[in-house]
DNA sequence: TCTATCATAAACAAGTTGTTTACGATAGAG
DNA sequence: CTCTATCGTAAACAACTTGTTTATGATAGA
């Protein structure tokens, strides 16, 4: 009486997991076999057996529900890196976009995004330093406290904190967030065209 | 004399670009056709024509060198999210890892990484706040100034700044990076097992 | 009106996939 | 040691997908 190789089962399970992480879809029986030095038919038989044992779901030739892996099938979105913050609608600069980057929704959320590199130190207190990448979600509404990208009255694209409306004169209040360099510095504008709201900051270290 | 639909060429080019961003590989002629309401043969003829015009490279049935897209073929790596910082080697906790996340090398660099969520405020000055995600690269060497993950003498996994060796007593100096709460706080240890070095911080806003 | 060519559907050939089958190798019971 | 169940393999099969060609109809433009 011979028994199926339990070690091989583990190898198959592990390989599928790694493959899934790298490719976002399951490998074929032949791919698994080639990687593990076995035949496709052997892998097929093991997959059927592993399905029977409940280690994974194998139906219609599709590998599904591998434990610990299902959650990695979460979505990704692509965000254009539009360079440093500057004038103009990022949308209209599409011709200049040279790089789209795929990022996971599980960390960065859902929506329509773009990335830009922050320059200057006006947002230091918000954790945004010179050279950091900022992930902006395109939206037309914001609430006080949000870090926003907006075209101000001079058609300049700026990154500032939205502080709300000044009740007295009805102007929109934008703040710097660096008390050391710009203590209490505020900007009042009549109208502002909101481009998006900063949702994440990616800082590089050393 | 009829002329090829230039608008359709633009649609094809755009569709391939978007598809590439989402799937990291080119679509099939039938996929393009279905999306644009045209036949596969029509798309095929357009692809050949577009290759002749130099708009893209189409060889052996493979779409390549679409302008603005080639750079997005850069690599991605998968990093396990190992939860909040805690005891033990992250490698040995593999059973508990429930989530692998694919991240682009073009932003985060190359190497073997894992993600962990920072707790506490001891790293505030380094731009690392409570709840931030920290991307750790596994490596066995570090230089003064690096934010490191290490097992200290008590087998505790800690996130601190490596300050170097104390010449006088030969001990390793680790620092907090929050002058407000822990002014000048340092830790001296005889030996430390380096788990990795923090390379990026992902901060969530609002 | 006529014709070049655009676009389509259908078919083709090649490759990939899951799956089955026949057969050799071998662990383990007797 | 002998024998047999079954493990694993190679080969083949059928279904499907892929790029590509071909024959046919539609139509813009001379």
């Amino acid at each position: 009486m011979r028994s199926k190789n339990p070690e091989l089962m583990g190898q198959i399970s592990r390989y599928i997991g790694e493959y899934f992480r790298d490719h976002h879809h399951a490998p074929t029986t032949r791919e698994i076999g080639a990687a593990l030095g076995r035949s496709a038919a052997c892998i097929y038989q093991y997959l059927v057996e592993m399905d029977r044992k409940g280690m994974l779901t194998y139906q219609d030739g599709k590998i599904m529900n591998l434990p610990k892996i299902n959650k990695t099938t979460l979505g990704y979105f692509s965000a254009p890196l539009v360079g440093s913050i500057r004038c103009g609608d990022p949308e209209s600069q599409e011709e200049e976009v040279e790089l789209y980057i795929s990022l996971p929704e599980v960390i960065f959320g859902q929506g329509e995004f773009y990335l830009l590199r922050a320059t200057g130190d006006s947002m230091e207190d918000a954790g945004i330093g010179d050279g950091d990448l900022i992930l902006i979600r395109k939206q037309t509404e914001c609430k006080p406290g949000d870090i926003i990208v907006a075209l101000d009255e001079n058609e300049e694209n700026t990154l500032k904190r939205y502080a709300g409306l000044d009740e007295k004169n009805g102007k929109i209040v934008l703040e710097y967030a660096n008390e050391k360099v710009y203590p209490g510095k505020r900007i009042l504008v009549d109208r502002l065209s909101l481009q998006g709201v900063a949702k994440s900051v990616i800082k590089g270290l050393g």
Side-chain angles (χ1 to χ4, degrees), chain A:
Chain A
M1 196 70 152
R2 296 177 61 188
S3 61
K4 268 223 163 55
N5 190 342
E7 193 176 329
L8 185 52
M9 277 197 189
Q11 285 177 25
I12 292 174
S13 178
R14 209 170 314 128
Y15 180 80
I16 296 172
E18 290 170 6
Y19 191 99
F20 223 106
R21 285 168 223 148
D22 291 342
H23 297 79
H24 296 170
H25 64 262
T28 66
T29 56
R30 281 170 177 80
E31 274 175 318
I32 303 172
L36 271 46
R38 299 303 168 99
S39 67
C42 171
I43 301 299
Y44 171 75
Q45 289 161 11
Y46 268 84
L47 287 175
V48 172
E49 174 77 7
M50 289 163 77
D51 176 281
R52 204 183 53 74
K53 284 196 173 184
M55 296 175 64
L56 45 73
T57 303
Y58 189 56
Q59 283 172 0
D60 294 332
K62 309 290 181 193
I63 300 167
M64 297 175 297
N65 292 332
L66 189 69
K68 299 190 283 179
I69 297 302
N70 18 358
K71 287 184 185 170
T72 64
T73 61
L74 287 164
Y76 288 74
F77 61 84
S78 281
L81 178 59
V82 299
S84 299
I85 190 165
R86 53 183 163 182
C87 305
D89 180 358
E91 189 66 23
S92 69
Q93 297 178 344
E94 195 171 0
E95 302 310 316
E96 303 176 25
V97 174
E98 87 284 12
L99 189 52
Y100 278 80
I101 295 163
S102 177
L103 294 171
E105 291 176 347
V106 68
I107 288 185
F108 297 101
Q110 293 185 316
E112 192 178 358
F113 293 92
Y114 60 96
L115 284 162
L116 51 84
R117 198 170 292 280
T119 58
D121 54 1
S122 66
M123 286 288 121
E124 206 80 17
D125 294 356
I128 302 174
D130 195 26
D132 292 349
L133 276 180
I134 307 177
L135 185 68
I136 310 291
R137 182 161 74 191
K138 292 184 185 175
Q139 54 189 70
T140 53
E141 292 181 6
C142 63
K143 62 181 195 302
D146 281 350
I147 309 291
I148 63 169
V149 174
L151 293 177
D152 60 18
E153 293 171 313
N154 306 320
E155 297 294 310
E156 294 270 338
N157 218 329
T158 56
L159 187 69
K160 294 285 178 291
R161 172 175 279 137
Y162 173 68
L165 271 174
D166 187 320
E167 300 285 344
K168 294 173 190 167
N169 51 24
K171 284 184 184 271
I172 296 164
V173 184
L174 302 181
E175 291 178 340
Y176 283 61
N178 188 334
E179 282 297 317
K180 289 176 192 164
V181 184
Y182 311 96
K185 182 153 183 176
R186 317 179 110 210
I187 298 172
L188 301 180
V189 296
D190 286 319
R191 193 184 60 78
L192 120 171
S193 158
L194 186 65
Q195 303 293 307
V197 174
K199 287 295 174 184
S200 293
V201 183
I202 300 172
K203 301 179 75 72
L205 301 174

